[in-house]
Amino acid sequence: MVGLAQRFDARVTLTNLTTGKGPVEAGSLSMVATLNAQQGHRLRVGASGPEAAEALAALGALADRGFDDLPASAPPTAVVGKSGSGLDVAVGAAILADQEVDLSNYQAGDVDAERQRAHDARAVAEAQLTALRDETARTVGVAEASIFDAQLALLGDVLVLDAVFRAITQGADKSAPEAWKAALDAVAASFEALDDPYQRERAQDVRSVRDRVLRALVGRDETAAAGPELAAGGSGAGGSGPAVGGVLVVRELDAATAAGVDAERIAGIAVRAAGTTGHGVIVARSRGIPVITGIGDVEVPTGALVGFDARAHEFVVEPADGGERLRAVVRERAGEREAALAEAERPAVTVDGRTIAVLANVGSVQDALDARGADGSGLVRTEVLFGERRVAPTVEEQVEAFRAIAAALGGKPITIRTWDIGGDKPLAFLAQEREANPFLGERGIRVFRRRPELLRDQLTAICRVAVETPVHVMFPMVTTAEEVAWALEELAAIGRPAELKVGIMVEVPAAALRISTLAAGLDFVSIGTNDLTQYTTASDRGNSAVAGLADGLDPAVLQLIDCVVREVPPGVEVAVCGDLASDPDAAVLLAGLGVHELSAVGPQVPTVKARLRRTDLTQVAASKALTMPSAAAVRQWLQEIQA
Ligand code: PEP
Ligand code: MG
């Protein structure tokens, strides 16, 4: 809308009638942000000047088209690009995306020179973004390319430009980089102050534009900067892409970066922060991209040869053998993986004859297509499936998406989780108020108690698909029996078909502790170890400072899992769909504790199955782990018994 408003010889304004904020310039992204406009608010467009009528007509038409949100026919996919190697080891040249642009060697000129440089850097950034947008539109899709339109709109924002040039010219005597940085940091701060978490996250886009302009100012090579040019389909504004098979080094891995990197060019991702259950890591792993977390502050020069083996938790820089040993590990693991893939379709029957169902967690149709050997999906993350939408999907669109996922899995059972939002999962079409402790606030099922409409649409779609193909539905973040009763009533009101199996996620310690009463009347429960670990250890899963504490193998977490298996009412199945199930060693332990169904990230399914087939569960004294002193002790013991 901002981009469109900029195209007319008119002064176009926007007012948020719901909150009374405005009017502000519609052609200024930074001003529009201050309206704090949310889904359902009423906005008024005003225009004056020579092309006022044309501007109003164009903006009205845009609104009528639903602001060009993803068309209903677009395949529901949140993740673009090819899949990675599916291994947990990688070697390649380091591509750094973890540093602020270094301005320390910048030599400022006089005011005229700085104005010219500020201007030239903007032109360079604009040309790069235009190239990226066109390339992304051509190779990925128009909707995905629109992120670059928003970034271009920021470069054309009159208020930003005014702030930049005023800072250089009027006494403040700032250099061009200082002026650009200050102006765009201010815009980022205004996004960060918004109520809605989705809009707050857009500060990331502003910082991306800032860094692009700053790199242009210091003459830094775009291909070494590992920005959005790593996006699938993006060719890099300078023409030559990043090093083939490079290892991307990032401070933290956000979901957008993980979804956007081109898995054909990036051999693996090394994350400085610890923690394996953040959504960025989950997305990268579900794409089969090797990831190591917690490498810390080790110095990594751009282009240096680096390698890692996530299984052994080893990260090396410029190894003396030129990376030969790790390359041998890559070959060995690739061989292991080939063998696992060859047998992927066979059931996972342990040496002592127990069959463990191994399913896949999916967030897109592509994930489902990539899930070789999966016995279905134990977790369809609907908030990821429709995460790109800015307008809620209709019942029909959801029906189509669920059908497509079931078909991609050959009609095997799929477990659809109802919208799981809140905490670190904002959804563009469901505005949420700012909360002091969002992980302890309105999250998962709690969000819908006050406003059930979106949930009802989703349940309607689920019920419709359930009469065509095996479908289970589960509710996230359940704490009390009263919530379960409410969810069942909602389903009954919609007309729950007899075929539909109903369950809840066990992610809250209170739910695990009272499972015997909570799960009465349900068909299954599925343990979400990512959140169960976060709440048991009181360690925010997205906070790298406490990531060492948030380990799913912590015996305290294992005790809760054991409690669920032992105390669940008879006939209620127990599954695990948290990421612990993707770790082959942990999968053995979970099976040993009596879990019959695991749902892992797609690329891990064949490996988990292969490991279970080699295991004699009568030899795994799983209950020993419950009283061990630490997660590290459990991990070491698991490795010893596999050896
Ligand atoms: C979990 O919490 O373990 C889980 C599977 O849900 P999510 O990671 O999507 O929160
Ligand atoms: Mg969860």
Side-chain angles (χ1 to χ4, degrees):
M1 188 166 65
V2 171
L4 189 60
Q6 285 175 356
R7 277 183 223 153
F8 295 94
D9 182 10
R11 177 162 185 257
V12 187
T13 60
L14 275 180
T15 309
N16 186 341
L17 295 176
T18 308
T19 61
K21 287 192 176 145
V24 299
E25 299 286 338
S28 162
L29 196 60
S30 55
M31 288 308 291
V32 171
T34 64
L35 289 177
N36 208 355
Q38 303 187 5
Q39 177 82 14
H41 283 189
R42 291 185 67 226
L43 301 189
R44 185 178 58 210
V45 186
S48 58
E51 292 182 345
E54 290 90 335
L56 284 180
L59 286 167
L62 181 70
D64 290 343
R65 296 197 306 270
F67 295 93
D68 288 342
D69 196 8
L70 287 178
S73 56
T77 166
V79 174
V80 295
K82 310 256 176 0
S83 306
S85 65
L87 305 179
D88 46 12
V89 52
V91 190
I95 301 167
L96 301 191
D98 64 335
Q99 287 155 336
E100 297 216 334
V101 181
D102 181 5
L103 302 175
S104 59
N105 291 326
Y106 185 83
Q107 302 278 340
D110 61 18
V111 167
D112 284 344
E114 289 309 286
R115 281 181 66 88
Q116 189 59 43
R117 286 180 192 172
H119 182 270
D120 291 349
R122 176 181 173 277
V124 168
E126 194 171 63
Q128 291 172 350
L129 285 170
T130 306
L132 275 170
R133 181 197 57 196
D134 295 349
E135 178 76 4
T136 306
R138 196 174 57 75
T139 56
V140 185
V142 175
E144 287 80 1
S146 66
I147 177 65
F148 299 116
D149 278 323
Q151 297 195 0
L152 281 163
L154 197 59
L155 281 177
D157 189 318
V158 279
L159 284 148
V160 169
L161 294 175
D162 198 42
V164 170
F165 289 101
R166 243 184 316 117
I168 297 172
T169 315
Q170 290 180 358
D173 203 22
K174 286 211 157 62
S175 67
E178 284 167 345
W180 268 109
K181 187 169 180 318
L184 290 177
D185 279 347
V187 178
S190 69
F191 273 95
E192 265 156 5
L194 296 176
D195 286 338
D196 182 53
Y198 178 81
Q199 293 191 48
R200 276 207 297 280
E201 280 194 356
R202 307 282 63 78
Q204 231 168 269
D205 297 325
V206 179
R207 283 193 288 269
S208 167
V209 174
R210 175 199 67 191
D211 290 347
R212 182 175 293 282
V213 174
L214 295 182
R215 286 196 297 272
L217 277 164
V218 298
R220 189 146 163 237
D221 181 7
E222 273 304 305
T223 58
E229 41 281 357
L230 291 178
S235 62
S240 60
V244 171
V247 172
L248 183 63
V249 181
V250 294
R251 185 144 294 282
E252 287 181 329
L253 185 59
D254 60 281
T257 303
V261 293
D262 184 342
E264 287 200 330
R265 297 186 198 183
I266 297 299
I269 305 178
V271 188
R272 293 194 182 276
T276 55
T277 55
H279 287 105
V281 174
I282 292 175
V283 169
R285 292 220 163 112
S286 70
R287 296 185 61 203
I289 300 171
V291 180
I292 187 167
T293 60
I295 64 163
D297 283 329
V298 53
E299 198 182 322
V300 185
T302 297
L305 182 75
V306 295
F308 65 80
D309 176 359
R311 207 180 291 181
H313 202 79
E314 178 194 15
F315 178 80
V316 292
V317 182
E318 297 286 15
D321 65 354
E324 253 332 291
R325 183 180 55 81
L326 274 177
R327 279 195 201 93
V329 178
V330 172
R331 285 193 294 275
E332 183 193 311
R333 298 273 165 84
E336 260 178 34
R337 182 157 176 79
E338 273 307 303
L341 280 170
E343 302 216 306
E345 301 298 334
R346 281 183 40 217
V349 183
T350 60
V351 172
D352 52 312
R354 267 183 50 192
T355 302
I356 310 292
V358 184
L359 297 87
N361 295 346
V362 307
S364 66
V365 177
Q366 191 60 47
D367 283 354
L369 287 167
D370 289 344
R372 295 258 310 264
D375 299 320
S377 170
L379 169 60
V380 177
R381 286 187 166 101
T382 53
E383 68 286 346
V384 176
L385 185 58
F386 295 104
E388 307 248 293
R389 299 297 188 94
R390 282 155 297 191
V391 176
T394 62
V395 171
E396 196 45 51
E397 285 168 347
Q398 294 185 66
V399 166
E400 270 177 36
F402 300 151
R403 263 189 203 138
I405 286 176
L409 286 161
K412 291 177 189 151
I414 60 169
T415 303
I416 303 172
R417 177 174 71 185
T418 57
W419 301 119
D420 185 19
I421 58 172
D424 60 342
K425 292 194 244 186
L427 205 55
F429 50 83
L430 202 136
Q432 280 194 277
E433 277 150 33
R434 189 185 274 273
E435 298 176 298
N437 291 299
F439 276 115
L440 302 179
E442 284 197 307
R443 225 188 144 214
I445 194 173
R446 301 173 182 184
V447 172
F448 301 97
R449 299 304 297 271
R450 282 194 295 130
R451 35 183 182 172
E453 302 77 24
L454 269 184
L455 180 66
R456 286 183 185 147
D457 274 0
Q458 186 163 62
L459 293 176
T460 306
I462 291 170
C463 289
R464 223 183 264 176
V465 180
V467 295
E468 304 169 3
T469 185
V471 169
H472 305 178
V473 63
M474 68 180 173
F475 297 89
M477 196 65 193
V478 170
T479 311
T480 67
E482 189 269 332
E483 286 171 340
V484 176
W486 177 79
L488 291 173
E489 272 165 32
E490 287 290 324
L491 259 180
I494 279 156
R496 170 187 172 180
E499 302 88 324
L500 179 66
K501 296 223 163 113
V502 182
I504 55 167
M505 290 194 72
V506 179
E507 305 178 277
V508 179
L513 291 168
R514 55 163 159 253
I515 199 72
S516 62
T517 49
L518 196 64
L522 294 174
D523 296 304
F524 69 96
V525 298
S526 186
I527 303 174
T529 50
N530 303 333
D531 279 312
L532 187 62
T533 304
Q534 139 163 290
Y535 294 126
T536 304
T537 61
S539 312
D540 178 343
R541 65 195 271 188
N543 183 343
S544 56
V546 294
L549 288 169
D551 192 323
L553 285 178
D554 187 315
V557 179
L558 300 177
Q559 284 181 36
L560 288 171
I561 296 172
D562 179 58
C563 164
V564 173
V565 174
R566 283 186 297 101
E567 296 185 12
V568 75
V572 179
E573 297 287 332
V574 178
V576 172
C577 66
D579 278 78
L580 200 58
S582 304
D583 172 341
D585 287 346
V588 166
L589 178 61
L590 292 169
L593 287 173
V595 175
H596 296 283
E597 182 179 308
L598 303 172
S599 196
V601 292
Q604 279 295 91
V605 168
T607 318
V608 169
K609 279 185 147 182
R611 171 65 60 83
L612 289 167
R613 281 191 211 104
R614 287 202 303 274
T615 303
D616 181 349
L617 286 174
T618 62
Q619 302 301 309
V620 179
S623 58
K624 255 175 94 167
L626 304 178
T627 51
M628 287 188 180
S630 64
V634 175
R635 189 164 281 113
Q636 194 185 339
W637 171 70
L638 283 171
Q639 272 163 13
E640 281 163 18
I641 61 171
Q642 306 292 330

Coordinates of all heavy atoms in Angstrom, one line a residue, residues 406 411-415 465-472 499-500:
A406 N -2.5 -34.7 3.3 CA -2.8 -36.2 3.4 C -2.4 -36.9 2.1 O -1.9 -38.0 2.2 CB -4.3 -36.3 3.7
G411 N -2.2 -40.8 1.9 CA -3.4 -41.2 2.6 C -3.2 -41.8 4.0 O -4.1 -42.3 4.6
K412 N -1.9 -41.7 4.5 CA -1.7 -42.2 5.9 C -2.2 -41.1 6.8 O -2.5 -40.0 6.5 CB -0.2 -42.4 6.0 CG 0.4 -43.5 5.2 CD 1.9 -43.6 5.4 CE 2.5 -44.6 4.4 NZ 3.9 -44.3 4.1
P413 N -2.4 -41.5 8.1 CA -3.0 -40.6 9.0 C -2.3 -39.3 9.2 O -1.0 -39.3 9.3 CB -3.1 -41.4 10.4 CG -2.8 -42.8 10.0 CD -2.1 -42.8 8.7
I414 N -3.0 -38.2 9.4 CA -2.3 -36.9 9.7 C -3.0 -36.4 10.9 O -4.2 -36.5 11.1 CB -2.4 -35.9 8.5 CG1 -3.8 -35.6 8.1 CG2 -1.6 -36.4 7.3 CD1 -4.0 -34.4 7.2
T415 N -2.1 -35.8 11.8 CA -2.6 -35.2 13.0 C -2.5 -33.7 12.9 O -1.4 -33.1 12.8 CB -1.7 -35.6 14.2 OG1 -1.7 -37.1 14.2 CG2 -2.2 -35.1 15.5
V465 N -12.5 -32.7 6.3 CA -11.5 -33.6 5.7 C -11.5 -35.0 6.4 O -11.2 -36.0 5.7 CB -10.1 -32.9 5.8 CG1 -9.0 -33.8 5.2 CG2 -10.1 -31.6 5.1
A466 N -11.9 -35.0 7.7 CA -11.8 -36.3 8.4 C -12.7 -37.3 7.9 O -12.5 -38.5 8.1 CB -12.1 -36.0 9.9
V467 N -13.7 -37.0 7.1 CA -14.6 -38.0 6.5 C -14.1 -38.6 5.2 O -14.6 -39.5 4.7 CB -16.1 -37.5 6.3 CG1 -16.7 -37.2 7.6 CG2 -16.1 -36.3 5.4
E468 N -13.0 -37.9 4.7 CA -12.4 -38.4 3.5 C -11.1 -39.2 3.7 O -10.8 -40.0 2.9 CB -12.0 -37.2 2.6 CG -13.1 -36.2 2.3 CD -12.6 -34.9 1.7 OE1 -11.4 -34.8 1.4 OE2 -13.4 -34.0 1.4
T469 N -10.4 -38.9 4.7 CA -9.0 -39.5 4.9 C -8.7 -39.5 6.4 O -9.3 -38.7 7.2 CB -8.0 -38.6 4.1 OG1 -6.7 -39.2 4.2 CG2 -7.9 -37.2 4.7
P470 N -7.9 -40.4 6.9 CA -7.7 -40.5 8.3 C -7.0 -39.2 8.9 O -6.0 -38.8 8.5 CB -6.7 -41.7 8.5 CG -6.7 -42.4 7.2 CD -7.1 -41.5 6.2
V471 N -7.8 -38.6 9.8 CA -7.3 -37.3 10.4 C -7.5 -37.4 11.9 O -8.5 -37.9 12.4 CB -8.2 -36.2 9.8 CG1 -7.9 -34.9 10.6 CG2 -7.9 -35.9 8.4
H472 N -6.5 -36.9 12.6 CA -6.6 -36.7 14.0 C -6.5 -35.2 14.3 O -5.8 -34.5 13.5 CB -5.4 -37.3 14.8 CG -5.3 -38.8 14.5 ND1 -4.3 -39.5 15.1 CD2 -6.0 -39.6 13.7 CE1 -4.3 -40.8 14.7 NE2 -5.4 -40.9 13.8
E499 N -15.2 -40.7 12.7 CA -13.9 -41.1 12.3 C -12.8 -40.2 12.9 O -11.6 -40.6 12.9 CB -13.7 -40.9 10.8 CG -14.6 -41.7 9.9 CD -15.9 -40.9 9.6 OE1 -16.4 -40.2 10.5 OE2 -16.5 -41.1 8.5
L500 N -13.1 -39.0 13.4 CA -12.1 -38.1 13.8 C -11.6 -38.4 15.2 O -12.3 -38.4 16.2 CB -12.7 -36.6 13.8 CG -11.7 -35.5 14.3 CD1 -10.6 -35.3 13.3 CD2 -12.5 -34.2 14.4

